[in-house]
């Protein structure tokens, strides 16, 4: 789960990391400030807001209110700007980069730091990047901060502050089960003080049971995804027009890939998961009913999910949900024959082979 | 021989009185696995289909298990894995999905220090027809044979194993690594086991988007593997930045695309299928 | 450093461990309470206060004030009672024992628990004690609590509360660098609720740099020890009448042992440590000047501490401090000859052999 | 041969620019030890008596040290030890006193998982005349010989080593375990090293009140040690409940008395001296 900059900075504050003086503003009425110039930053869960006009400077109260209203009315990359962060303008001397994230290859958290901050870290040349992999059993220890800051070539005074920030963001990274904590830029002010100019925090959604004070930011999901999420389904909207229901993430992706290779555009990823429940199947159709599609392909390989259960679900859905686009069904595995029989009795044709079902889908939606 | 599990594998089920735990304990028994004990705090003294239930792993050690099937809720997986490792269990299989990845990271790091092996979380486990199944794969899709299978998926693995079986081939061992961004065993670990395994003559490697495990496996195959490998990679049509069901199946910051994996594998001399159904014929070719 | 019961219970509260309703009272004027009967407990850093009359029940306000005054006026095992803890009287059903302490042999923290509480754990038979050693790299994990409580044979409801307490005292043990956290008795109330009847916490004095909110309880030291502590000397008062100054804890103890075997009673342990400083030697004499002694034995084996430095210190002390009991000096090791020469010039005889010096001490104090 | 240290020992000094660090680095050099590097954050690039100073241990590894002398303030010892262990140093000697014992516990536990050896904290280190001194023992008291010495003390060790030397005997290696309640190496660890050491024909074991390490050593000597041992135990006159200078020298709850240790050692066939000066004659007797 991505946090908004203002939420991330609240966590920074909690962990004692210096941030600019700022104020989170959700309504036009709150557009008040008393020390100018001030920075007005759109709060959206996407990169590139600067280029999109989502960051502006205001020189007086009138300017602030005009620009604030303007940004509050914007959408950036399809996401509506719902609030702003007002912040003091900083006297920036240098911009550094600092993050902690998961390195999947080594299965360890990796510290990434650079004295070239303010741009995407992917655009910084490797020789200017310092990386340090942390042993999860050992955790963070001060020597790690020393190693990183000496490699960066920081001055003694900068090094001290940098190590302090690093220790604290590691505590945040661990304490809030983060996937990413990123400070870009990590600002060195003209007076030598170091603070977090921006803040990006991504929390592992699977860890939210132990961070009850955080709640999911809904803006990360489309309407259809939000609907599916609320009903307990794993759905990803893709933008095509063929509805897909399958079981297992891998098989569902393989189904999407098969349709795509055949020239169709899937509307969605929808995984029934390891369930064996008629209502779960019916519910999947209820969600797809809300989507604009030209047909539905159901691809089931029966294991934990029994084919007869799925067949009963499809038959139920046909009666109750009222889908008015073609439905193609593939059933294979546990109780396959029984499932195919149930479908037949309900006037639905089905296939045993996945490719046959994909080819049939191509045919019926043309 | 098989890899990871065999006729000497003695399985304990942590969380045996839960729905998943009891169902799968019985399915494993039916497959022929030796399920020797289960745990469920507060239910010590009871039985599940003849399997003795204990309050703690320490007590369950009386039955001399050497592998565990962990099927407790996500918040308790770290504790359960520690309990197993510190009681002397050598092979830890974790079924549970949605385990916080930092917990998995701790389990994996601790396991490597203690010399333990971890399979999963969020995968279907390890099956060797028909000596032992440690996991949840459907019993009826297997045939004993000479193909090793490694996959990050569940159902897609069954699909492919079923294709192998119904096309006249058979499996030595099938390993489901799990769909999380961090898992215990990865492709290279499994390939290293297959390298030493007499029964395995070829490997089918099923990959998906996210991370760079397939790319690293390709490097390993190119330089250090001794048997033919065929592969299928899923998620070619997945958009960047979206998790495709599995927590680990995500293209982020340009990394983890299917294209990159397919290219790496092909560069390593691996035949990569476009559709799952092509796997058996690719295998037959390399096994000629 | 030992904490008083009331201090330990404040820490318990901080970690969420249930304690009885109570109030810390330092003056007679504060002897107020409104729900009787109430328990009045002397706050002293020694065991056996119950037997010594330091714990009493009061049935009304008059009774409380009388008994409170009485206990405030007491000394227990030589320690003045400086304050009281007033606590609600508990409806006790059962008394358990629970502690975490260091096991020096295994170099691990050990959990010690028993359903036989309320008495010294040393008096409980082994078969009724459950022990669990914790791997310091691993730390505490819930399964440990389950193992201990199942071994104790607790009921489901008790087990749940017990595990909760155990997890919390481990957090306290680690978080405050404790040598010991002990709850004896851990009380099971008639309504089934579990709480800490008593609380004993010993914090590692060497860790106080990271627990600045705790301050040393002075009552642990005698007046002479307090004087030495303030001046930065490691001194232990022993009660005899021969002053001892030596360097190194082991050699100092060996000096005391030698004197004791020869029938003398040492007044003190005083280790100059690894210093090489004339003033440190002079200061040691200044402390011993405050003690009632019949003679002083100085036993130095020169390494880091040079013999000539010590000799100069003794000569200085002779001039400035004015010791009027016999002084016997043993100097050996680095710069021994020079040191002996310096002493000779100042009219002080010295020995090279430790036994000769001990024998000489026996002679001069008779 | 000696134990723990020898002519291949390459010493790094962590905290080399401090008073203790620089003084002892030079003393070790004078003794003949190879002191190859030092660390002092922020002072990288400087030198101490010809020894190169680095900002971090990782940088200092260029000089290929395999042992470290840690002489940083107590609050930083845990970090310094981790830095050394994680950089690949195998032998960690900690001079610092007043290290919180839970920090030492973590160091020792981590070291055992990583296969490292720890000597100290709060002890004088290890000296083998005249191949290597890793520690702070005075240079002039030693003579090469066949007596191994193990002690928890500092100055008392020097006293006894000096007695051994001046009475015509000599030392193979002298090990100061340290005076804290938790230390890395203990008597048994050192005895196991001496057991395998050809140069050592007898061991002098200097003990003190507190804990049960001497009692455990006595059990080990009785059952599994192969050379004669003589001993001196100090603290016979110490009252219970008082720390005698060393954090570890305390009789608590009836445990750790000198009587108990003397009895255990005598039961194991060890000759126990009443006064330090008796050690050389006891040694001469067992070495006959």
């Amino acid at each position: 789960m991505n946090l908004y900059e203002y939420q991330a900075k609240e966590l920074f504050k909690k962990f004692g990391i210096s941030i600019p003086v700022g104020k989170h503003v959700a309504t036009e009425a709150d557009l008040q400030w008393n020390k100018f110039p001030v920075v007005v930053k759109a709060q959206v869960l996407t990169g590139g807001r600067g280029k999109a006009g989502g960051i502006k400077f205001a020189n007086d109260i009138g300017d602030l209110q005009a620009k604030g209203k303007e940004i509050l009315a914007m959408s950036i990359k399809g996401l509506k700007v719902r609030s702003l962060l007002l912040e003091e303008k900083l006297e920036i001397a240098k911009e550094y980069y600092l993050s902690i994230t998961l390195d999947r290859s080594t299965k360890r958290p990796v510290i990434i730091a650079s004295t070239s901050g303010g741009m995407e870290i992917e655009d910084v040349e490797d020789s200017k990047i310092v990386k340090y992999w942390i042993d999860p059993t050992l955790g963070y220890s001060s020597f790690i901060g020393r190693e990183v800051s000496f490699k960066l070539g920081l001055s003694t005074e900068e090094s001290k502050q940098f190590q302090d920030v690093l220790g604290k963001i590691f505590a945040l990274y661990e304490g809030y089960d983060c996937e990413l904590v990123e400070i870009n830029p990590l600002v060195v002010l003209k007076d030598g003080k170091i603070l977090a100019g921006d803040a990006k925090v991504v929390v592992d959604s699977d860890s939210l049971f132990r961070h009850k004070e955080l709640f999911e930011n809904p803006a990360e999901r489309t309407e259809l995804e939000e609907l599916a999420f609320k009903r307990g389904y794993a759905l990803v909207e893709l933008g095509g027009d063929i509805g897909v229901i399958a079981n297992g993430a891998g098989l569902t992706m393989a189904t999407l890939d098969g349709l795509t290779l055949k020239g169709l555009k899937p509307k969605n990823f929808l995984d029934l998961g390891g369930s064996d429940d008629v209502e779960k199947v019916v519910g999947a159709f209820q969600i797809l009913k809300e989507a604009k599609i030209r047909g539905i392909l159901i691809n089931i390989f029966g294991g934990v999910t029994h084919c007869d259960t799925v067949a009963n679900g499809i038959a139920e859905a046909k009666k109750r949900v009222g889908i008015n686009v073609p439905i193609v069904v593939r059933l294979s595995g546990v109780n396959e024959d029984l499932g195919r029989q149930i479908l037949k009795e309900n006037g639905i044709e089905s296939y045993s082979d996945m490719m046959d079902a994909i080819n049939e889908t191509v045919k019926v939606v043309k | 021989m098989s890899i990871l599990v065999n006729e000497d594998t003695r399985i304990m089920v942590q969380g045996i009185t839960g729905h998943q735990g009891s169902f799968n304990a019985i399915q494993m028994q039916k497959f022929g696995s030796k399920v020797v004990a289960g745990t469920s705090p507060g239910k010590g003294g009871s039985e599940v289909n003849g399997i003795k239930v204990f309050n703690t792993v320490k007590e369950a050690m009386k039955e001399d298990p050497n592998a565990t099937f962990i099927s407790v809720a996500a918040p308790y997986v770290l504790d359960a894995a520690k309990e197993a490792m510190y009681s002397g269990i050598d092979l830890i299989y974790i079924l549970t999905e949605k385990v916080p990845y930092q917990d998995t990271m701790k389990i994996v790091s601790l396991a490597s220090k203690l010399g333990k092996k971890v399979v999963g979380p969020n995968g279907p486990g390890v099956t060797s027809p028909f000596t032992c199944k440690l996991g949840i794969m459907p019993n009826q899709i297997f045939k004993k044979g000479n193909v090793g299978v490694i996959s990050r998926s569940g159902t897609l693995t069954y699909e492919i194993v079923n294709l192998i079986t119904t096309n006249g081939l058979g499996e030595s061992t099938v390993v489901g690594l799990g769909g999380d961004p961090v898992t215990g065993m990865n492709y290279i670990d499994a390939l290293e086991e297959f390298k030493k395994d007499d029964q395995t003559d070829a490997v089918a490697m099923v990959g998906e988007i996210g991370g760079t495990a397939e790319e690293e496996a390709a490097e390993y195959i190119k330089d250090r593997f001794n048997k033919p490998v065929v592969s299928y990679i899923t998620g070619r049509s997945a958009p960047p930045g979206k998790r495709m069901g599995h927590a680990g199946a995500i293209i982020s910051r340009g990394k983890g695309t299917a294209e990159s994996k397919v290219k790496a594998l092909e560069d390593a001399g691996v035949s990569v299928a476009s559709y799952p159904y092509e796997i058996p014929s690719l295998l037959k070719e390399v096994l000629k």
Side-chain angles (χ1 to χ4, degrees), chain A, chain B:
Chain A
M1 173 180 70
N2 288 303
L3 300 192
Y4 288 99
E5 180 190 5
Y6 79 92
Q7 293 171 323
K9 282 187 170 164
E10 277 166 19
L11 288 183
F12 276 25
K13 204 171 170 184
K14 187 170 166 182
F15 281 80
I17 301 157
S18 296
I19 52 172
V21 175
K23 180 184 168 190
H24 180 232
V25 167
T27 66
E28 292 183 9
D30 284 337
L31 281 166
Q32 298 296 332
W33 192 257
N34 53 27
K35 203 167 158 261
F36 292 92
V38 65
V39 194
V40 186
K41 294 158 114 177
Q43 297 297 288
V44 275
L45 295 174
T46 180
R49 63 186 167 165
K51 278 187 193 155
I55 301 181
K56 291 202 158 66
F57 292 91
N59 290 313
D60 56 45
I61 186 75
D63 198 16
L64 166 63
Q65 292 186 339
K67 285 174 175 158
K69 277 177 202 173
E70 186 188 326
I71 299 176
L72 271 174
M74 286 173 69
S75 281
I76 298 177
K77 295 191 184 167
L79 296 172
K80 204 175 150 9
V81 176
R82 287 204 172 80
S83 67
L84 305 173
L85 181 62
L86 308 186
E87 274 186 352
E88 62 175 326
K89 187 160 183 269
L90 302 173
E91 296 288 318
I92 296 175
K94 285 181 267 187
E95 293 188 327
Y96 294 166
Y97 174 92
L98 178 61
S99 72
I100 302 177
T101 185
L102 165 66
D103 178 52
R104 288 173 61 157
S105 299
T106 57
K107 303 169 189 179
R108 292 184 171 201
V110 58
I111 297 165
I112 302 175
S114 174
T115 48
S116 299
M119 58 179 122
E120 295 289 316
I121 190 69
E122 286 79 7
D123 301 332
V124 177
E125 56 179 298
D126 277 355
S127 66
K128 289 196 169 164
I129 294 175
V130 174
K131 291 189 180 187
Y132 190 99
W133 286 263
I134 294 171
D135 181 330
T137 309
L138 177 73
Y140 184 80
S141 196
S142 319
F143 78 86
I144 295 171
R146 289 198 300 274
E147 257 185 56
V148 173
S149 64
F150 281 117
K151 273 203 194 146
L152 287 172
L154 303 186
S155 70
T156 308
E157 187 41 47
E158 280 177 13
S159 173
K160 231 173 107 181
Q161 292 183 66
F162 177 86
Q163 289 177 50
D164 182 63
V165 173
L166 181 49
K168 285 168 176 169
I169 67 165
F170 190 81
L172 168 58
Y173 171 83
E174 269 211 327
Y176 275 89
D177 286 279
C178 297
E179 294 177 6
L180 172 70
V181 181
E182 184 179 66
I183 308 180
N184 189 19
L186 180 69
V187 169
V188 184
L189 296 179
K190 288 190 176 146
D191 66 5
K193 204 170 160 281
I194 289 184
L195 52 69
D198 197 355
K200 188 163 165 55
V201 171
V202 183
V203 175
D204 179 359
S205 302
D206 289 341
S207 79
L208 291 177
F209 65 85
R210 55 187 169 213
H211 308 294
K212 299 237 164 80
E213 74 281 20
L214 301 175
F215 52 92
E216 288 234 36
N217 289 320
E220 289 185 289
R221 285 188 283 269
T222 67
E223 270 176 52
L224 195 68
E225 287 169 356
E226 184 64 23
L227 178 72
F229 175 77
K230 278 188 186 147
R231 295 185 185 173
Y233 289 82
L235 184 146
V236 177
E237 189 166 358
L238 301 171
D241 52 12
I242 309 296
V244 172
I245 299 171
N247 66 328
L251 186 63
T252 311
M253 280 192 277
T255 311
L256 304 176
D257 289 354
L259 289 170
T260 305
L261 282 170
K262 293 290 177 189
L264 296 184
K265 289 189 174 143
K267 173 67 178 172
N268 67 287
F269 169 104
L270 197 170
D271 173 13
L272 289 178
S275 66
D276 185 38
D277 177 355
V278 170
E279 285 307 316
K280 182 101 190 180
V281 180
V282 176
F285 281 93
Q286 277 161 338
I287 291 163
L288 287 191
K289 190 173 186 270
E290 307 300 318
K292 222 179 137 182
I293 46 179
R294 293 194 292 141
I296 297 177
L297 170 58
I298 297 120
N299 184 12
I300 301 297
F301 188 90
V304 175
T305 311
H306 295 180
C307 289
D308 55 327
T309 308
V310 175
N312 281 321
I314 297 170
E316 270 294 301
K318 199 184 165 193
K319 284 176 213 154
R320 277 159 45 189
V321 182
I323 302 282
N324 44 20
V325 294
I327 298 175
V328 179
V329 182
R330 181 264 182 144
L331 288 182
S332 181
V334 175
N335 297 350
E336 173 179 337
D337 294 341
L338 182 56
R340 305 265 293 283
Q341 182 61 33
I342 291 165
L343 288 178
K344 201 161 200 175
E345 282 163 10
N346 285 274
I348 303 164
E349 204 50 54
S350 67
Y351 299 85
S352 175
D353 184 85
M354 176 171 158
M355 280 314 294
D356 292 344
I358 288 174
N359 288 329
E360 174 68 11
T361 308
V362 172
K363 217 154 65 185
V364 299
V365 300
K366 273 206 175 135
Chain B
M1 267 302 279
S2 49
I3 69 164
L4 298 167
V5 294
N6 55 45
E7 54 277 354
D8 296 329
T9 303
R10 296 171 61 82
I11 299 172
M12 167 178 69
V13 176
Q14 282 173 268
I16 196 168
T17 57
H19 173 70
Q20 289 278 0
S22 60
F23 175 78
N24 287 300
I26 294 166
Q27 290 303 115
M28 288 191 285
Q29 281 184 321
K30 283 185 182 163
F31 191 83
S33 303
K34 296 187 178 80
V35 186
V36 299
T39 65
S40 183
K43 301 208 174 132
S46 63
E47 284 195 358
V48 169
N49 206 39
I51 306 157
K52 282 189 191 158
V53 179
F54 298 89
N55 286 321
T56 64
V57 173
K58 195 161 188 183
E59 289 174 34
M61 293 308 287
K62 279 180 220 156
E63 304 297 325
D64 211 19
N66 53 22
T68 185
F69 176 115
I70 294 182
S71 169
V72 302
Y76 311 112
V77 166
L78 174 59
D79 179 61
K82 283 181 177 175
E83 185 175 10
M85 288 193 269
Y86 276 76
S87 300
I89 299 290
D90 292 322
L91 177 61
I92 320 279
Y93 158 64
I94 302 167
L95 165 62
T96 314
E97 63 176 342
K98 295 187 183 295
V99 177
Y101 87 89
Q102 295 202 13
D103 288 3
T104 305
M105 224 161 54
K106 286 190 186 108
I107 293 169
V108 171
S109 168
L110 211 51
S112 86
K113 287 198 175 49
L114 299 171
K116 313 294 188 183
K117 286 178 182 164
V118 177
V119 177
N122 190 21
V126 186
T127 306
S128 169
F130 282 89
T131 56
C132 181
K133 176 176 98 166
L134 174 66
I136 62 160
M137 297 184 196
N139 288 352
Q140 55 278 15
I141 58 176
F142 296 93
K143 200 173 103 190
K144 197 177 176 83
N146 61 350
V147 178
V149 180
I150 317 172
S151 172
R152 278 160 67 189
S153 308
T155 313
L156 180 59
T157 314
Y158 316 155
E159 176 87 45
I160 283 170
V161 168
N162 192 54
L163 285 165
I164 292 170
T165 297
T166 54
N167 280 280
L169 296 167
E171 307 83 31
S172 56
T173 308
V174 181
V175 185
L177 306 173
D180 282 357
V182 180
T183 56
M185 181 157 279
N186 62 20
Y187 290 109
I188 295 176
D189 300 318
L191 286 167
E192 276 179 346
E193 300 276 350
F194 279 129
K195 192 174 178 177
K196 297 175 290 186
D197 179 39
D198 288 347
Q199 193 192 326
T200 303
D201 293 324
V203 171
M205 186 181 138
V206 183
E208 64 185 41
I209 54 161
T212 53
E214 289 83 357
E215 286 88 334
E216 287 146 27
E219 282 298 306
Y220 175 82
I221 290 165
K222 188 154 68 178
D223 301 338
R224 285 178 285 155
F225 199 57
N226 57 351
K227 297 176 187 185
V229 180
V230 306
S231 181
Y232 172 73
I233 301 292
T234 187
R236 295 175 190 232
S237 56
K242 293 275 191 180
R243 286 192 197 277
M244 303 301 279
H246 282 164
I250 183 167
I251 299 163
S252 74
R253 295 188 162 184
K255 277 198 178 171
T257 63
E259 289 67 37
S260 156
K261 293 168 195 299
V262 170
K263 187 175 179 308
L265 286 164
E266 286 180 342
D267 286 352
V270 174
S271 309
V272 183
S274 295
Y275 298 94
Y277 80 90
E278 297 169 358
I279 288 288
S281 48
L282 292 178
L283 279 170
K284 282 177 185 167
E285 204 144 305
V286 299
L287 282 168
K288 257 183 205 159

